[in-house]
Amino acid sequence: MAEEKKVYTRTKGIIEGAVSGFCPGCMHSTIHKIIGEAAEELGQLDNLVRVEGVGCCGLGQFYVTCDETIAAHGRAGAVATGIKRSSPNSLVYTYQGDGDLAAIGLAETLSAANRGENFTVIFVNNGIYGMTGGQMAPTTLVGMKSTTTPGGRDPQEHGYPMHMSEIINQLTAPYYIERVSCDTPQNVIKARNAIKKAFKYQLEGKGYSIVEIVTSCPTNWGLDPLKSLDFLREKMFAEYPLGVFRDGGEKKQ
Amino acid sequence: MAERVFMKGTEAIAEAAVRAGCRFFAGYPITPQNEIPEYMARRLPEVGGSFVQGESEVASVNMLYGAASTGIRAMSSSSSCGISLYSEGVSYCASARIPMVYVNVQRGGPGIGAIQPAQQDYLQATKASGNGGFRMIVLAPDSVQECVDMVYEAYDLAERDQNPVLVLTDGVMGTMMEPVVLPPMKTDEELAACRAKFADRAIVGHPLGQQAYCRPGSVGDGQEKVNIEAAAMYETWDKDIRVEEYMMDDAEIVFAAYGISARISRAVIRQLRAEGIKAGMIRPITLSPFPYDSFRNLDFDRVKGIIDVEMSIPAQMRWDVDYAVQGRCPVHEVLRSGGQLLTNDQVLKGAKEFIKEVL
Ligand SMILES: Cc1ncc(C[n+]2csc(CCOP(=O)(O)OP(=O)(O)O)c2C)c(N)n1
Ligand code: SF4
Ligand SMILES: [Mg+2]
């Protein structure tokens, strides 16, 4: 009989048997998996602290095995600052949506980045307020319909989408900035490697790192999972090009 | 070792916190409490602590929430309009049962108000420091020594209850210099022992299967359970009520005042006594829990009236005084606000007008 070789194991970063609360086709589940894998490969699951933003991110709170605190909407950058400075050896990451990080939490986000706080931000950019039912986010595309821009986002009235990785790349202190996605197996691997790299840098004391993950929100985009992937690739990637903005403190773009 | 020194209120508050074991401070500049963050910026690095100038009070209080959730002793301070921005973080700490300690050095209000001293945040401090109807112990010092003692003790109370504690002082106390006895510096062993008590809950990373969660909210019936537990904890606070009853044995005229107003009232009471008027004072030291019984159990055959002295217009503590007195004697007010200080003469004059009516 041929010998069986184990080629894949579910990460211990996710509670055994737990079911995620995310909608079908939502990339949040994949992101949780790769965070768990990255931390596990670094032997850090015992040392991992998650600071959760408010939004669909919060649906992960009964899904992960690490220590976890829930920040007030937008304040994850401040809460993580307090945690990391009080427990410098913990591996600390925030998990935030675009409304959380780029609207209500803009000051906390940029200020933590500007201080070069030694934690990692995982920023899930789906171009919309998912949790509250599809209102406009700072990242909503021009022309894109949301419940508060029923005629589509109009730059005259609502301004233009905000590019957080590019904005943070204007600051001097951040050490690592990369924008990834999870739409294909290759991109999932890239995203996992980016998260692992960010974690590694943090463990080495290098300072602030952010991995922006451009994702879909089938439910609030009003598209089925496959059509949302098309929209993601055609429209979202055009506005939010994937790539490394900074690595090792050096600007790449 | 206890040590006697001459210190400004704000700096004494900061040093007391460090001696109590505070190793993290976040705050945003605002008069009249700037010396607290400035002192911490110099002092904390000497003891291996961390100081952050937050980008706002909102950020600072949320940094405090994060720091305190790791089990470390942490502090923040602000003044009035800055304290309004703390309500988010204080409410989160109350819900998640995080022992945070913070200080309000009150100034005039409402709005940006005035930078001079006032006592205009009483109701906010004692009744609703954030959404959700939580409560917390509020300590009101009337000397630099009490500022020191209360900040030092606040950590024990906060950790005992796993709940926020507020030290409510004002710009007079903050800028005043007085001799104080500083408490001993807590040793690393003592602090490690405090931290060890909460090691299971500390958000620092745990082995699989022993995860720590800090949840400022719950789904299903979880939040009601949290609220019922918190309410049961508040019920245990009768033992924590602190009040000073000054010259009350035979008092016919009773001053009701806290903090700086109590200091002024004390001087006026001595003047009145010298003139043969039997005056005394009930000074709430814990504003929450409030010493209702001290007022409730007054001998109303003897007491002819109460003079509520506050640096607030309209009066605020009077709500609690009235609640206990229930109209059994007249209550008179002597008030200033908006950064205008009460003077001995004004209190004396107001008291005498009232006394003429009731005695
Ligand atoms: C102070 C405050 N304001 C508003 C809300 C309501 N709220 C919850 S989630 C959310 C939007 C989250 O959007 P985003 O950060 O993009 O996350 P997503 O759900 O898309 O993942 C809002 C406005 C809140 N919880 N707290
Ligand atoms: S609403 Fe959108 S972001 Fe939220 S779980 Fe559903 S698909 Fe995912
Ligand atoms: Mg979103």
Side-chain angles (χ1 to χ4, degrees):
Chain A
M1 213 166 69
E3 208 182 311
E4 281 183 26
K5 206 168 131 227
K6 202 166 191 177
V7 291
Y8 181 80
T9 321
R10 196 172 195 253
T11 170
K12 291 196 179 67
I14 288 174
I15 295 170
E16 183 87 46
V19 179
S20 89
F22 305 114
C23 307
C26 179
M27 290 176 191
H28 269 301
S29 341
T30 311
I31 302 170
H32 280 69
K33 184 185 84 169
I34 59 179
I35 293 171
E37 287 172 358
E40 196 170 352
E41 281 167 26
L42 293 167
Q44 290 292 317
L45 283 180
D46 295 6
N47 192 37
L48 189 61
V49 170
R50 168 182 166 105
V51 180
E52 207 157 79
V54 173
C56 287
C57 310
L59 296 170
Q61 65 178 286
F62 302 107
Y63 198 49
V64 293
T65 57
C66 61
D67 279 16
E68 184 189 38
T69 187
I70 296 163
H73 193 22
R75 315 295 176 226
V79 175
T81 296
I83 292 180
K84 185 68 185 188
R85 288 193 180 219
S86 305
S87 183
N89 295 328
S90 304
L91 179 62
V92 179
Y93 77 96
T94 72
Y95 190 75
Q96 303 173 258
D98 39 7
D100 192 271
L101 177 136
I104 191 167
L106 190 57
E108 286 77 8
T109 300
L110 292 183
S111 303
N114 193 44
R115 288 191 300 265
E117 295 290 342
N118 188 28
F119 62 77
T120 301
V121 174
I122 296 180
F123 167 36
V124 182
N125 177 4
N126 58 6
I128 199 115
Y129 281 29
M131 186 63 150
T132 39
Q135 297 84 0
M136 181 184 68
T139 45
T140 298
L141 304 182
V142 169
M144 195 170 166
K145 286 192 175 154
S146 75
T147 56
T148 48
T149 55
R153 182 177 189 157
D154 172 6
Q156 292 301 320
E157 198 183 339
H158 313 112
Y160 293 86
M162 276 172 89
H163 302 90
M164 292 310 295
S165 288
E166 286 84 342
I167 291 171
I168 292 168
N169 199 26
Q170 298 303 309
L171 304 172
T172 306
Y175 193 76
Y176 175 54
I177 307 168
E178 181 163 357
R179 185 186 282 132
V180 296
S181 187
C182 284
D183 61 316
T184 60
Q186 292 91 319
N187 274 345
V188 171
I189 291 169
K190 271 195 192 164
R192 189 183 56 192
N193 290 343
I195 292 167
K196 192 169 165 187
K197 193 187 238 181
F199 283 173
K200 207 169 116 293
Y201 284 151
Q202 184 187 150
L203 291 168
E204 290 165 1
K206 303 288 195 198
Y208 188 86
S209 51
I210 175 166
V211 178
E212 173 177 348
I213 308 177
V214 187
T215 69
S216 60
C217 173
T219 302
N220 289 296
W221 287 3
L223 298 171
D224 68 37
L226 288 177
K227 287 212 181 87
S228 357
L229 286 182
D230 294 340
F231 186 91
L232 180 76
R233 293 185 191 119
E234 276 167 36
K235 302 280 169 45
M236 289 286 279
F237 290 179
E239 186 73 39
Y240 301 109
L242 308 186
V244 181
F245 291 87
R246 193 181 300 192
D247 194 351
E250 244 177 75
K251 276 199 188 189
K252 299 286 179 193
Q253 288 188 28
Chain B
M1 270 295 289
E3 209 183 306
R4 196 172 162 83
V5 289
F6 195 59
M7 266 185 124
K8 198 172 183 174
T10 40
E11 299 195 334
I13 285 171
E15 180 59 26
V18 170
R19 288 175 181 236
C22 173
R23 293 296 178 270
F24 180 88
F25 184 97
Y28 188 82
I30 184 168
T31 306
Q33 60 82 59
N34 289 321
E35 298 89 345
I36 300 179
E38 286 165 0
Y39 190 93
M40 287 302 204
R42 295 192 300 270
R43 186 73 169 103
L44 279 176
E46 292 174 3
V47 293
S50 181
F51 167 85
V52 193
Q53 178 169 326
E55 55 273 27
S56 67
E57 287 85 355
V58 176
S60 302
V61 74
N62 282 290
M63 288 175 193
L64 186 59
Y65 168 75
S69 73
T70 69
I72 204 173
R73 290 189 163 188
M75 187 169 90
S76 186
S77 66
S78 186
S79 177
S80 301
C81 51
I83 290 290
S84 288
L85 295 184
Y86 276 41
S87 46
E88 175 181 88
V90 179
S91 178
Y92 269 65
C93 283
S95 186
R97 301 292 292 272
I98 300 295
M100 73 173 273
V101 172
Y102 73 117
V103 179
N104 179 358
V105 185
Q106 294 173 91
R107 59 188 243 170
I112 197 163
I115 59 169
Q116 301 95 329
Q119 295 182 306
Q120 291 185 257
D121 303 337
Y122 178 92
L123 288 173
Q124 180 194 46
T126 58
K127 307 293 182 269
S129 294
N131 67 296
F134 64 90
R135 293 187 198 164
M136 50 185 196
I137 292 182
V138 180
L139 304 166
D142 83 337
S143 64
V144 175
Q145 185 65 58
E146 274 194 355
C147 287
V148 164
D149 296 344
M150 285 175 179
V151 166
Y152 197 73
E153 196 197 347
Y155 288 96
D156 295 330
L157 293 172
E159 286 170 9
R160 183 196 70 188
D161 294 339
Q162 299 283 289
N163 203 53
V165 172
L166 168 63
V167 177
L168 183 71
T169 179
D170 60 73
V172 178
M173 218 84 68
T175 47
M176 180 165 80
M177 287 190 83
E178 277 189 322
V180 281
V181 178
L182 290 173
M185 186 85 176
K186 296 249 190 229
T187 63
D188 290 347
E189 293 73 45
E190 285 173 306
L191 293 177
C194 293
R195 218 174 162 168
K197 280 192 226 154
F198 310 107
D200 295 350
R201 290 194 59 203
I203 306 297
V204 294
H206 280 90
L208 287 176
Q210 296 170 31
Q211 278 61 42
Y213 301 105
C214 169
R215 296 230 161 93
S218 302
V219 290
D221 62 354
Q223 188 64 45
E224 189 180 48
K225 282 195 186 122
V226 168
N227 296 347
I228 289 169
E229 268 175 37
M233 183 262 292
Y234 308 148
E235 287 298 315
T236 67
W237 284 350
D238 277 354
K239 65 182 183 316
D240 295 310
I241 291 173
R242 261 178 264 174
V243 59
E244 177 192 352
E245 299 193 358
Y246 178 68
M247 298 201 174
M248 282 298 294
D249 285 348
D250 58 350
E252 295 172 4
I253 297 295
V254 177
F255 283 72
Y258 76 96
I260 182 63
S261 296
R263 271 178 93 110
I264 298 166
S265 300
R266 203 179 286 117
V268 169
I269 289 164
R270 282 196 295 264
Q271 278 172 276
L272 290 171
R273 286 263 168 189
E275 297 176 24
I277 294 165
K278 289 178 178 159
M281 173 169 65
I282 298 175
R283 173 173 77 100
I285 298 172
T286 50
L287 301 183
S288 163
F290 190 83
Y292 291 110
D293 281 347
S294 296
F295 291 95
R296 219 171 255 149
N297 300 335
L298 285 173
D299 175 358
F300 288 100
D301 292 331
R302 189 187 77 222
V303 171
K304 298 296 179 287
I306 292 175
I307 304 176
D308 178 74
V309 184
E310 296 184 58
M311 293 207 312
S312 170
I313 297 175
Q316 298 187 42
M317 189 176 79
R318 187 183 166 159
W319 285 42
D320 282 323
V321 173
D322 278 342
Y323 179 70
V325 171
Q326 296 284 331
R328 284 175 288 177
C329 75
V331 179
H332 181 69
E333 294 170 352
V334 179
L335 313 172
R336 292 305 296 272
S337 82
Q340 300 304 308
L341 295 188
L342 276 168
T343 61
N344 283 26
D345 286 351
Q346 189 201 346
V347 177
L348 187 63
K349 187 164 161 274
K352 280 189 170 168
E353 279 165 17
F354 177 62
I355 289 164
K356 225 188 290 168
E357 277 172 37
V358 296
L359 275 190

